[in-house]
Amino acid sequence: MVNFSNKLTKDQIPGWEEYYFNYKMLKGRVNEYTEQTKEGTQYRRRVLKDFSKLLDDEIEKIVLFMIEQQGLIAARLEDLGKRRTRLQDIPLLQEITELREDYRSVGLDLVTLLKFVELNANAVRKILKKFDERLGYKFTDYYVRSRSNHPYSQLQQVFRHVDPIIDLITATADKLTNSTNFLRFLGQHALIAQADSTAGAEDEQHVGEDKYHLMSLVLNLANTFLYMVNTYIVVPTADGYATSLGAAATACGAVIGSMAVAQVFSSVYFSAWSNRSYFRPLLFSCVVLLLGNVMYAMAFDLGSLTILLLGRVLCGMGSARAVNRRYISDCVPPRIRMQASAAFVSASALGMACGPALAGLLQTNFSFYGLTINQITLPGWIMAFGWLVYLIWLWISFQEPDLGPDAKDFYEGSSSSTSTRYMEHEKMEQGLTEHLLPLEQDEEDDNGDDEHSETLSSSTATLRPASSVASAYTLLTPSVKVQLLIYFMLKYAMEILLAESSVVTGYYFGWDIGTVSVFLAVLGLSVLPVNAIVGTYISNMFEDRQILVASEMALLAGVMLSFKLTAEYTAAQYVCSAVLTFASAEVVEGVNLSLLSRVMSARLSRGTYNGGLLSTEAGTVARVVADGTITAAGLLAGEGRLLNATLLPALLVCAASIAATLSTYNSLFY
C-alpha cells in the first residue's frame, strides 16, 4: 500500500518542490469541507466555488513554472541551432561531440519536465476523485468540461503540453492560408466533427477511405440543396396561396411554418435511422417530399387549405439534414471533411437563395389535364419533379457504406465497441479524462482501494453518447445553454424577416412576387460573402466572444430599425434594416456555432441525440414559434400592425440573448 502524499513528496525533483501541486493542503481542505457539510455550516455552492478556486490557483502555479522551463529549453535549443549552423560550414570533431552532448542534456531536461507535469496531473486526478467520494458530488466531470477550453483556466496546459509540436504544426498550418480559416469557419456552421491530428488519425483515415464514395457525398449535398430550395420557394407566394383559398394573407406563417413543425420530429427519427443506414432514410425522404409537393400543388384545384398544410407537413417529415450531416461525419475521409462540411453549408445557403429566385421566374398561368399551373402551384410541381429526378439518381448511384457491427455499436452507445474514431472535441475532452482517470494505474490511493475496475467503468461511461433528450440536456454547460438560446434567437429573427416579407412589402410598398423573390435571393446569396469576411479577416483580429456580442448588438439594432414608428415607412428603411438584421444573424450563427462545435461535450458528437440534432431542434423550434407569431399577429392585429407586432417579441428575445451572453461572458470560450 502506497500513500500518495508520501509518493508525491518522494518523487519530487530537488529544487522544484515549491512548484508542485499542494496535494496535502487540498486533501486537508476536502476533509474540512466534509465535516462542515455534515454540520451544516457550509453550503454546496460555496464549497464548489472555494474548491474550484483552490484548484485553479494550484494549476496556474504549475503551468507558470512549466512555461518558464519551456522558455529556458527553447532558448537553449535556439542557441544549439545556431551552433549547428556554424558547424555546417566548419565541421570540428570536438565541437560536434560537445553539441551532441548538449542536445542530449536538453532532451533529458525535457523528459524531467514531462515527469514533473505527469506527477502533478496524477495529483489533480487524485484530489478530484477524493472530493467526489467524500462529498458525494460529480465534480470531476463538471470541472474538466468547464476548464478544458476556458479562457482563464490552465487545465488543458497541464494535459496537452506533452504534444506541443503537433499543436505548433496545427497553428502554423492555420496561418499558411486565409482560405483554410474561411473553410473551417464555414464548415463549423454544420456542427460536423472534424478530423484530429493526434494518435488514431491514421485509423480514422483508413476507415474513412474505405467508406468514401464521391457520388454518394454529392447526393447528400444535392439533398441538402433541394430541401432548402423546397423550404423557401413558397415564401414569395405563400400569402397569395392562402388568400386564394379563403384565408388571410398572414396565414402564410402557418403555411411556411407547418414544414418546420414536422421537422421538429423528423430530425429525431432521421438521426436515429442514420445509426443503421443512409440509403433507406434518403429514399424515404424523397418519396415523402415528392408526395408532399404534389399535395401542395393540388390544394389549389381542390380548394382546400387543409391539403395545402398537410402537403407542407409531409415536406417537413422528409427533412433528412440529420442524415446529410452524419454521412459527412461518418463516411468522408478526414483529409476532405472540412471541405465537405463547407460544401454542406454552401449548399444550404445556395438553396436558400435559389428557392425565392426560382419562384420569381415561375410567372405563368395555364391548365394541363384539368390541373391549374400558375405561379402559386408551380413551386409544388417543380419541386415534385425535382425530387422524382433525385429519387432516380439516388436509386442508381448511391452506395450504402458498410457500417459494420462495431461502428453501429459505437454510434449507438454499446460498451462493446472497439472503434477508435473519436471526434475533434472528444479528443480534447477524452485526452483530459485519460489523464484524470488513467486506464493503466497500478498504484493504490490513500485508502488502499484498487481503482482499476472503477476506472474502466468510468472511462466506458465517458464514451457513451446521450441516450435521450434529458441525458443530452445534462451534458450542457451553462455557456452551451446560452449558445443554444442565441441560436434560437437568430433563427427566430431570420424567420420573422423572411416569412412575413411578402406580406409586409406588398402592404407597404406594393412589391410583386418578382421583386420579393429578387430581394430574398439577394439576402440568401449574402451568406457566403459575409462568412468569407468574418472567417478570413474578422475572426483573426478579434476573439469569438467579442465578435458574438458585437454581432448580437448589430442584430438588435437591425430589429429596432425595422419598426414602423412614423407615418411614413419607406422601402429604403425596410431594406437597410433587413440587410443589417440578416447579415448580423449570419455572423452570429457562424461565431456561435464555431464556439459550440468546440465546447459541446464529446458524448454529443455521435449517437441519435447529438450536438447537431440539438442545434437543429433549437433552430427549428424557433422557426415554428416565429411562423406561429406571424399567423397569430395577423389574426389579432391585422396586416397594418403585423410588422410591429412580430418585431416586438423578436426584440425581446434578442435583448434576452444579449443579457445571457454578457452574464456568461467570462465563461465563454475563445
Side-chain angles (χ1 to χ4, degrees), residues 224-246:
T224 300
F225 172 77
L226 281 175
Y227 186 79
M228 294 304 291
V229 172
N230 209 151
T231 301
Y232 289 100
I233 193 173
V234 306
V235 172
T237 57
D239 57 333
Y241 208 158
T243 55
S244 69
L245 296 177

mmCIF file with all atom_site columns, all heavy atoms in Angstrom, residues 224-246:
data_model
loop_
_atom_site.group_PDB
_atom_site.id
_atom_site.type_symbol
_atom_site.label_atom_id
_atom_site.label_alt_id
_atom_site.label_comp_id
_atom_site.label_asym_id
_atom_site.label_entity_id
_atom_site.label_seq_id
_atom_site.pdbx_PDB_ins_code
_atom_site.Cartn_x
_atom_site.Cartn_y
_atom_site.Cartn_z
_atom_site.occupancy
_atom_site.B_iso_or_equiv
_atom_site.pdbx_formal_charge
_atom_site.auth_seq_id
_atom_site.auth_comp_id
_atom_site.auth_asym_id
_atom_site.auth_atom_id
_atom_site.pdbx_PDB_model_num
ATOM 1   N N   . THR A 1 224 ? -29.406 18.227 -49.546 1.00 0.00 ? 224 THR A N   1
ATOM 2   C CA  . THR A 1 224 ? -29.391 19.442 -48.730 1.00 0.00 ? 224 THR A CA  1
ATOM 3   C C   . THR A 1 224 ? -29.849 20.651 -49.538 1.00 0.00 ? 224 THR A C   1
ATOM 4   O O   . THR A 1 224 ? -30.672 21.454 -49.077 1.00 0.00 ? 224 THR A O   1
ATOM 5   C CB  . THR A 1 224 ? -27.964 19.694 -48.198 1.00 0.00 ? 224 THR A CB  1
ATOM 6   O OG1 . THR A 1 224 ? -27.555 18.581 -47.399 1.00 0.00 ? 224 THR A OG1 1
ATOM 7   C CG2 . THR A 1 224 ? -27.890 20.964 -47.377 1.00 0.00 ? 224 THR A CG2 1
ATOM 8   N N   . PHE A 1 225 ? -29.306 20.796 -50.750 1.00 0.00 ? 225 PHE A N   1
ATOM 9   C CA  . PHE A 1 225 ? -29.651 21.926 -51.616 1.00 0.00 ? 225 PHE A CA  1
ATOM 10  C C   . PHE A 1 225 ? -31.139 21.908 -51.966 1.00 0.00 ? 225 PHE A C   1
ATOM 11  O O   . PHE A 1 225 ? -31.845 22.922 -51.832 1.00 0.00 ? 225 PHE A O   1
ATOM 12  C CB  . PHE A 1 225 ? -28.806 21.863 -52.887 1.00 0.00 ? 225 PHE A CB  1
ATOM 13  C CG  . PHE A 1 225 ? -29.210 22.855 -53.943 1.00 0.00 ? 225 PHE A CG  1
ATOM 14  C CD1 . PHE A 1 225 ? -28.854 24.183 -53.832 1.00 0.00 ? 225 PHE A CD1 1
ATOM 15  C CD2 . PHE A 1 225 ? -29.961 22.439 -55.039 1.00 0.00 ? 225 PHE A CD2 1
ATOM 16  C CE1 . PHE A 1 225 ? -29.235 25.102 -54.807 1.00 0.00 ? 225 PHE A CE1 1
ATOM 17  C CE2 . PHE A 1 225 ? -30.348 23.348 -56.009 1.00 0.00 ? 225 PHE A CE2 1
ATOM 18  C CZ  . PHE A 1 225 ? -29.980 24.682 -55.895 1.00 0.00 ? 225 PHE A CZ  1
ATOM 19  N N   . LEU A 1 226 ? -31.648 20.754 -52.425 1.00 0.00 ? 226 LEU A N   1
ATOM 20  C CA  . LEU A 1 226 ? -33.046 20.665 -52.837 1.00 0.00 ? 226 LEU A CA  1
ATOM 21  C C   . LEU A 1 226 ? -33.994 20.938 -51.676 1.00 0.00 ? 226 LEU A C   1
ATOM 22  O O   . LEU A 1 226 ? -35.048 21.571 -51.855 1.00 0.00 ? 226 LEU A O   1
ATOM 23  C CB  . LEU A 1 226 ? -33.330 19.279 -53.425 1.00 0.00 ? 226 LEU A CB  1
ATOM 24  C CG  . LEU A 1 226 ? -32.872 19.031 -54.862 1.00 0.00 ? 226 LEU A CG  1
ATOM 25  C CD1 . LEU A 1 226 ? -33.111 17.580 -55.249 1.00 0.00 ? 226 LEU A CD1 1
ATOM 26  C CD2 . LEU A 1 226 ? -33.590 19.977 -55.822 1.00 0.00 ? 226 LEU A CD2 1
ATOM 27  N N   . TYR A 1 227 ? -33.624 20.467 -50.483 1.00 0.00 ? 227 TYR A N   1
ATOM 28  C CA  . TYR A 1 227 ? -34.520 20.680 -49.337 1.00 0.00 ? 227 TYR A CA  1
ATOM 29  C C   . TYR A 1 227 ? -34.618 22.167 -48.987 1.00 0.00 ? 227 TYR A C   1
ATOM 30  O O   . TYR A 1 227 ? -35.701 22.662 -48.650 1.00 0.00 ? 227 TYR A O   1
ATOM 31  C CB  . TYR A 1 227 ? -34.047 19.881 -48.129 1.00 0.00 ? 227 TYR A CB  1
ATOM 32  C CG  . TYR A 1 227 ? -35.028 19.973 -46.977 1.00 0.00 ? 227 TYR A CG  1
ATOM 33  C CD1 . TYR A 1 227 ? -36.188 19.205 -46.974 1.00 0.00 ? 227 TYR A CD1 1
ATOM 34  C CD2 . TYR A 1 227 ? -34.819 20.851 -45.925 1.00 0.00 ? 227 TYR A CD2 1
ATOM 35  C CE1 . TYR A 1 227 ? -37.113 19.306 -45.957 1.00 0.00 ? 227 TYR A CE1 1
ATOM 36  C CE2 . TYR A 1 227 ? -35.742 20.959 -44.894 1.00 0.00 ? 227 TYR A CE2 1
ATOM 37  C CZ  . TYR A 1 227 ? -36.885 20.188 -44.903 1.00 0.00 ? 227 TYR A CZ  1
ATOM 38  O OH  . TYR A 1 227 ? -37.796 20.296 -43.901 1.00 0.00 ? 227 TYR A OH  1
ATOM 39  N N   . MET A 1 228 ? -33.499 22.884 -49.047 1.00 0.00 ? 228 MET A N   1
ATOM 40  C CA  . MET A 1 228 ? -33.538 24.315 -48.751 1.00 0.00 ? 228 MET A CA  1
ATOM 41  C C   . MET A 1 228 ? -34.304 25.070 -49.845 1.00 0.00 ? 228 MET A C   1
ATOM 42  O O   . MET A 1 228 ? -35.023 26.030 -49.547 1.00 0.00 ? 228 MET A O   1
ATOM 43  C CB  . MET A 1 228 ? -32.120 24.861 -48.618 1.00 0.00 ? 228 MET A CB  1
ATOM 44  C CG  . MET A 1 228 ? -31.370 24.308 -47.416 1.00 0.00 ? 228 MET A CG  1
ATOM 45  S SD  . MET A 1 228 ? -32.232 24.583 -45.848 1.00 0.00 ? 228 MET A SD  1
ATOM 46  C CE  . MET A 1 228 ? -32.080 26.360 -45.690 1.00 0.00 ? 228 MET A CE  1
ATOM 47  N N   . VAL A 1 229 ? -34.160 24.656 -51.098 1.00 0.00 ? 229 VAL A N   1
ATOM 48  C CA  . VAL A 1 229 ? -34.974 25.244 -52.167 1.00 0.00 ? 229 VAL A CA  1
ATOM 49  C C   . VAL A 1 229 ? -36.451 25.008 -51.867 1.00 0.00 ? 229 VAL A C   1
ATOM 50  O O   . VAL A 1 229 ? -37.291 25.918 -51.973 1.00 0.00 ? 229 VAL A O   1
ATOM 51  C CB  . VAL A 1 229 ? -34.600 24.637 -53.536 1.00 0.00 ? 229 VAL A CB  1
ATOM 52  C CG1 . VAL A 1 229 ? -35.586 25.103 -54.607 1.00 0.00 ? 229 VAL A CG1 1
ATOM 53  C CG2 . VAL A 1 229 ? -33.186 25.033 -53.931 1.00 0.00 ? 229 VAL A CG2 1
ATOM 54  N N   . ASN A 1 230 ? -36.777 23.771 -51.481 1.00 0.00 ? 230 ASN A N   1
ATOM 55  C CA  . ASN A 1 230 ? -38.152 23.391 -51.170 1.00 0.00 ? 230 ASN A CA  1
ATOM 56  C C   . ASN A 1 230 ? -38.720 24.220 -50.018 1.00 0.00 ? 230 ASN A C   1
ATOM 57  O O   . ASN A 1 230 ? -39.899 24.585 -49.997 1.00 0.00 ? 230 ASN A O   1
ATOM 58  C CB  . ASN A 1 230 ? -38.201 21.906 -50.816 1.00 0.00 ? 230 ASN A CB  1
ATOM 59  C CG  . ASN A 1 230 ? -39.532 21.263 -51.147 1.00 0.00 ? 230 ASN A CG  1
ATOM 60  O OD1 . ASN A 1 230 ? -39.608 20.077 -51.436 1.00 0.00 ? 230 ASN A OD1 1
ATOM 61  N ND2 . ASN A 1 230 ? -40.610 22.024 -51.098 1.00 0.00 ? 230 ASN A ND2 1
ATOM 62  N N   . THR A 1 231 ? -37.865 24.542 -49.053 1.00 0.00 ? 231 THR A N   1
ATOM 63  C CA  . THR A 1 231 ? -38.316 25.306 -47.886 1.00 0.00 ? 231 THR A CA  1
ATOM 64  C C   . THR A 1 231 ? -38.688 26.736 -48.264 1.00 0.00 ? 231 THR A C   1
ATOM 65  O O   . THR A 1 231 ? -39.724 27.259 -47.825 1.00 0.00 ? 231 THR A O   1
ATOM 66  C CB  . THR A 1 231 ? -37.216 25.328 -46.812 1.00 0.00 ? 231 THR A CB  1
ATOM 67  O OG1 . THR A 1 231 ? -36.910 23.985 -46.421 1.00 0.00 ? 231 THR A OG1 1
ATOM 68  C CG2 . THR A 1 231 ? -37.659 26.120 -45.588 1.00 0.00 ? 231 THR A CG2 1
ATOM 69  N N   . TYR A 1 232 ? -37.860 27.377 -49.088 1.00 0.00 ? 232 TYR A N   1
ATOM 70  C CA  . TYR A 1 232 ? -38.024 28.819 -49.326 1.00 0.00 ? 232 TYR A CA  1
ATOM 71  C C   . TYR A 1 232 ? -38.650 29.173 -50.667 1.00 0.00 ? 232 TYR A C   1
ATOM 72  O O   . TYR A 1 232 ? -38.927 30.347 -50.918 1.00 0.00 ? 232 TYR A O   1
ATOM 73  C CB  . TYR A 1 232 ? -36.665 29.509 -49.190 1.00 0.00 ? 232 TYR A CB  1
ATOM 74  C CG  . TYR A 1 232 ? -36.195 29.541 -47.749 1.00 0.00 ? 232 TYR A CG  1
ATOM 75  C CD1 . TYR A 1 232 ? -35.267 28.618 -47.285 1.00 0.00 ? 232 TYR A CD1 1
ATOM 76  C CD2 . TYR A 1 232 ? -36.711 30.467 -46.859 1.00 0.00 ? 232 TYR A CD2 1
ATOM 77  C CE1 . TYR A 1 232 ? -34.857 28.622 -45.966 1.00 0.00 ? 232 TYR A CE1 1
ATOM 78  C CE2 . TYR A 1 232 ? -36.316 30.481 -45.545 1.00 0.00 ? 232 TYR A CE2 1
ATOM 79  C CZ  . TYR A 1 232 ? -35.382 29.561 -45.092 1.00 0.00 ? 232 TYR A CZ  1
ATOM 80  O OH  . TYR A 1 232 ? -34.996 29.568 -43.783 1.00 0.00 ? 232 TYR A OH  1
ATOM 81  N N   . ILE A 1 233 ? -38.921 28.203 -51.530 1.00 0.00 ? 233 ILE A N   1
ATOM 82  C CA  . ILE A 1 233 ? -39.523 28.516 -52.823 1.00 0.00 ? 233 ILE A CA  1
ATOM 83  C C   . ILE A 1 233 ? -40.957 29.012 -52.666 1.00 0.00 ? 233 ILE A C   1
ATOM 84  O O   . ILE A 1 233 ? -41.484 29.734 -53.536 1.00 0.00 ? 233 ILE A O   1
ATOM 85  C CB  . ILE A 1 233 ? -39.478 27.273 -53.754 1.00 0.00 ? 233 ILE A CB  1
ATOM 86  C CG1 . ILE A 1 233 ? -39.794 27.683 -55.188 1.00 0.00 ? 233 ILE A CG1 1
ATOM 87  C CG2 . ILE A 1 233 ? -40.428 26.188 -53.251 1.00 0.00 ? 233 ILE A CG2 1
ATOM 88  C CD1 . ILE A 1 233 ? -39.612 26.552 -56.193 1.00 0.00 ? 233 ILE A CD1 1
ATOM 89  N N   . VAL A 1 234 ? -41.612 28.674 -51.570 1.00 0.00 ? 234 VAL A N   1
ATOM 90  C CA  . VAL A 1 234 ? -43.008 29.074 -51.369 1.00 0.00 ? 234 VAL A CA  1
ATOM 91  C C   . VAL A 1 234 ? -43.142 30.417 -50.671 1.00 0.00 ? 234 VAL A C   1
ATOM 92  O O   . VAL A 1 234 ? -44.255 30.962 -50.586 1.00 0.00 ? 234 VAL A O   1
ATOM 93  C CB  . VAL A 1 234 ? -43.773 27.999 -50.560 1.00 0.00 ? 234 VAL A CB  1
ATOM 94  C CG1 . VAL A 1 234 ? -43.651 26.630 -51.210 1.00 0.00 ? 234 VAL A CG1 1
ATOM 95  C CG2 . VAL A 1 234 ? -43.273 27.940 -49.123 1.00 0.00 ? 234 VAL A CG2 1
ATOM 96  N N   . VAL A 1 235 ? -42.056 30.959 -50.134 1.00 0.00 ? 235 VAL A N   1
ATOM 97  C CA  . VAL A 1 235 ? -42.152 32.189 -49.328 1.00 0.00 ? 235 VAL A CA  1
ATOM 98  C C   . VAL A 1 235 ? -42.757 33.351 -50.112 1.00 0.00 ? 235 VAL A C   1
ATOM 99  O O   . VAL A 1 235 ? -43.662 34.041 -49.600 1.00 0.00 ? 235 VAL A O   1
ATOM 100 C CB  . VAL A 1 235 ? -40.770 32.562 -48.758 1.00 0.00 ? 235 VAL A CB  1
ATOM 101 C CG1 . VAL A 1 235 ? -40.820 33.935 -48.084 1.00 0.00 ? 235 VAL A CG1 1
ATOM 102 C CG2 . VAL A 1 235 ? -40.308 31.507 -47.760 1.00 0.00 ? 235 VAL A CG2 1
ATOM 103 N N   . PRO A 1 236 ? -42.311 33.637 -51.352 1.00 0.00 ? 236 PRO A N   1
ATOM 104 C CA  . PRO A 1 236 ? -42.888 34.789 -52.055 1.00 0.00 ? 236 PRO A CA  1
ATOM 105 C C   . PRO A 1 236 ? -44.370 34.636 -52.403 1.00 0.00 ? 236 PRO A C   1
ATOM 106 O O   . PRO A 1 236 ? -45.062 35.638 -52.625 1.00 0.00 ? 236 PRO A O   1
ATOM 107 C CB  . PRO A 1 236 ? -42.039 34.884 -53.337 1.00 0.00 ? 236 PRO A CB  1
ATOM 108 C CG  . PRO A 1 236 ? -40.774 34.157 -53.027 1.00 0.00 ? 236 PRO A CG  1
ATOM 109 C CD  . PRO A 1 236 ? -41.207 33.045 -52.128 1.00 0.00 ? 236 PRO A CD  1
ATOM 110 N N   . THR A 1 237 ? -44.862 33.412 -52.489 1.00 0.00 ? 237 THR A N   1
ATOM 111 C CA  . THR A 1 237 ? -46.245 33.196 -52.945 1.00 0.00 ? 237 THR A CA  1
ATOM 112 C C   . THR A 1 237 ? -47.159 32.634 -51.868 1.00 0.00 ? 237 THR A C   1
ATOM 113 O O   . THR A 1 237 ? -48.343 32.399 -52.137 1.00 0.00 ? 237 THR A O   1
ATOM 114 C CB  . THR A 1 237 ? -46.250 32.226 -54.143 1.00 0.00 ? 237 THR A CB  1
ATOM 115 O OG1 . THR A 1 237 ? -45.609 30.987 -53.758 1.00 0.00 ? 237 THR A OG1 1
ATOM 116 C CG2 . THR A 1 237 ? -45.495 32.807 -55.319 1.00 0.00 ? 237 THR A CG2 1
ATOM 117 N N   . ALA A 1 238 ? -46.648 32.395 -50.671 1.00 0.00 ? 238 ALA A N   1
ATOM 118 C CA  . ALA A 1 238 ? -47.455 31.753 -49.627 1.00 0.00 ? 238 ALA A CA  1
ATOM 119 C C   . ALA A 1 238 ? -48.662 32.600 -49.248 1.00 0.00 ? 238 ALA A C   1
ATOM 120 O O   . ALA A 1 238 ? -49.758 32.069 -48.996 1.00 0.00 ? 238 ALA A O   1
ATOM 121 C CB  . ALA A 1 238 ? -46.589 31.483 -48.394 1.00 0.00 ? 238 ALA A CB  1
ATOM 122 N N   . ASP A 1 239 ? -48.496 33.935 -49.192 1.00 0.00 ? 239 ASP A N   1
ATOM 123 C CA  . ASP A 1 239 ? -49.628 34.788 -48.820 1.00 0.00 ? 239 ASP A CA  1
ATOM 124 C C   . ASP A 1 239 ? -50.699 34.766 -49.906 1.00 0.00 ? 239 ASP A C   1
ATOM 125 O O   . ASP A 1 239 ? -51.908 34.702 -49.614 1.00 0.00 ? 239 ASP A O   1
ATOM 126 C CB  . ASP A 1 239 ? -49.155 36.217 -48.552 1.00 0.00 ? 239 ASP A CB  1
ATOM 127 C CG  . ASP A 1 239 ? -48.434 36.837 -49.742 1.00 0.00 ? 239 ASP A CG  1
ATOM 128 O OD1 . ASP A 1 239 ? -47.852 36.074 -50.543 1.00 0.00 ? 239 ASP A OD1 1
ATOM 129 O OD2 . ASP A 1 239 ? -48.451 38.073 -49.861 1.00 0.00 ? 239 ASP A OD2 1
ATOM 130 N N   . GLY A 1 240 ? -50.270 34.786 -51.172 1.00 0.00 ? 240 GLY A N   1
ATOM 131 C CA  . GLY A 1 240 ? -51.229 34.720 -52.270 1.00 0.00 ? 240 GLY A CA  1
ATOM 132 C C   . GLY A 1 240 ? -51.965 33.393 -52.317 1.00 0.00 ? 240 GLY A C   1
ATOM 133 O O   . GLY A 1 240 ? -53.169 33.343 -52.619 1.00 0.00 ? 240 GLY A O   1
ATOM 134 N N   . TYR A 1 241 ? -51.264 32.300 -52.017 1.00 0.00 ? 241 TYR A N   1
ATOM 135 C CA  . TYR A 1 241 ? -51.893 30.975 -51.987 1.00 0.00 ? 241 TYR A CA  1
ATOM 136 C C   . TYR A 1 241 ? -52.943 30.924 -50.875 1.00 0.00 ? 241 TYR A C   1
ATOM 137 O O   . TYR A 1 241 ? -54.055 30.402 -51.068 1.00 0.00 ? 241 TYR A O   1
ATOM 138 C CB  . TYR A 1 241 ? -50.825 29.912 -51.758 1.00 0.00 ? 241 TYR A CB  1
ATOM 139 C CG  . TYR A 1 241 ? -51.146 28.548 -52.344 1.00 0.00 ? 241 TYR A CG  1
ATOM 140 C CD1 . TYR A 1 241 ? -50.134 27.636 -52.631 1.00 0.00 ? 241 TYR A CD1 1
ATOM 141 C CD2 . TYR A 1 241 ? -52.463 28.159 -52.609 1.00 0.00 ? 241 TYR A CD2 1
ATOM 142 C CE1 . TYR A 1 241 ? -50.408 26.380 -53.168 1.00 0.00 ? 241 TYR A CE1 1
ATOM 143 C CE2 . TYR A 1 241 ? -52.748 26.907 -53.144 1.00 0.00 ? 241 TYR A CE2 1
ATOM 144 C CZ  . TYR A 1 241 ? -51.715 26.032 -53.425 1.00 0.00 ? 241 TYR A CZ  1
ATOM 145 O OH  . TYR A 1 241 ? -52.006 24.802 -53.958 1.00 0.00 ? 241 TYR A OH  1
ATOM 146 N N   . ALA A 1 242 ? -52.601 31.486 -49.714 1.00 0.00 ? 242 ALA A N   1
ATOM 147 C CA  . ALA A 1 242 ? -53.534 31.467 -48.583 1.00 0.00 ? 242 ALA A CA  1
ATOM 148 C C   . ALA A 1 242 ? -54.806 32.244 -48.905 1.00 0.00 ? 242 ALA A C   1
ATOM 149 O O   . ALA A 1 242 ? -55.926 31.780 -48.640 1.00 0.00 ? 242 ALA A O   1
ATOM 150 C CB  . ALA A 1 242 ? -52.854 32.045 -47.342 1.00 0.00 ? 242 ALA A CB  1
ATOM 151 N N   . THR A 1 243 ? -54.659 33.431 -49.506 1.00 0.00 ? 243 THR A N   1
ATOM 152 C CA  . THR A 1 243 ? -55.843 34.234 -49.833 1.00 0.00 ? 243 THR A CA  1
ATOM 153 C C   . THR A 1 243 ? -56.684 33.581 -50.919 1.00 0.00 ? 243 THR A C   1
ATOM 154 O O   . THR A 1 243 ? -57.916 33.703 -50.925 1.00 0.00 ? 243 THR A O   1
ATOM 155 C CB  . THR A 1 243 ? -55.416 35.644 -50.275 1.00 0.00 ? 243 THR A CB  1
ATOM 156 O OG1 . THR A 1 243 ? -54.488 35.541 -51.369 1.00 0.00 ? 243 THR A OG1 1
ATOM 157 C CG2 . THR A 1 243 ? -54.754 36.405 -49.137 1.00 0.00 ? 243 THR A CG2 1
ATOM 158 N N   . SER A 1 244 ? -56.042 32.869 -51.858 1.00 0.00 ? 244 SER A N   1
ATOM 159 C CA  . SER A 1 244 ? -56.804 32.203 -52.919 1.00 0.00 ? 244 SER A CA  1
ATOM 160 C C   . SER A 1 244 ? -57.677 31.083 -52.370 1.00 0.00 ? 244 SER A C   1
ATOM 161 O O   . SER A 1 244 ? -58.652 30.673 -53.010 1.00 0.00 ? 244 SER A O   1
ATOM 162 C CB  . SER A 1 244 ? -55.855 31.646 -53.982 1.00 0.00 ? 244 SER A CB  1
ATOM 163 O OG  . SER A 1 244 ? -55.103 30.553 -53.474 1.00 0.00 ? 244 SER A OG  1
ATOM 164 N N   . LEU A 1 245 ? -57.324 30.590 -51.193 1.00 0.00 ? 245 LEU A N   1
ATOM 165 C CA  . LEU A 1 245 ? -58.109 29.520 -50.555 1.00 0.00 ? 245 LEU A CA  1
ATOM 166 C C   . LEU A 1 245 ? -59.025 30.055 -49.466 1.00 0.00 ? 245 LEU A C   1
ATOM 167 O O   . LEU A 1 245 ? -59.578 29.292 -48.667 1.00 0.00 ? 245 LEU A O   1
ATOM 168 C CB  . LEU A 1 245 ? -57.164 28.464 -49.971 1.00 0.00 ? 245 LEU A CB  1
ATOM 169 C CG  . LEU A 1 245 ? -56.302 27.709 -50.997 1.00 0.00 ? 245 LEU A CG  1
ATOM 170 C CD1 . LEU A 1 245 ? -55.361 26.733 -50.298 1.00 0.00 ? 245 LEU A CD1 1
ATOM 171 C CD2 . LEU A 1 245 ? -57.168 26.975 -52.014 1.00 0.00 ? 245 LEU A CD2 1
ATOM 172 N N   . GLY A 1 246 ? -59.175 31.394 -49.419 1.00 0.00 ? 246 GLY A N   1
ATOM 173 C CA  . GLY A 1 246 ? -60.126 31.997 -48.494 1.00 0.00 ? 246 GLY A CA  1
ATOM 174 C C   . GLY A 1 246 ? -59.570 32.348 -47.131 1.00 0.00 ? 246 GLY A C   1
ATOM 175 O O   . GLY A 1 246 ? -60.325 32.764 -46.250 1.00 0.00 ? 246 GLY A O   1
#
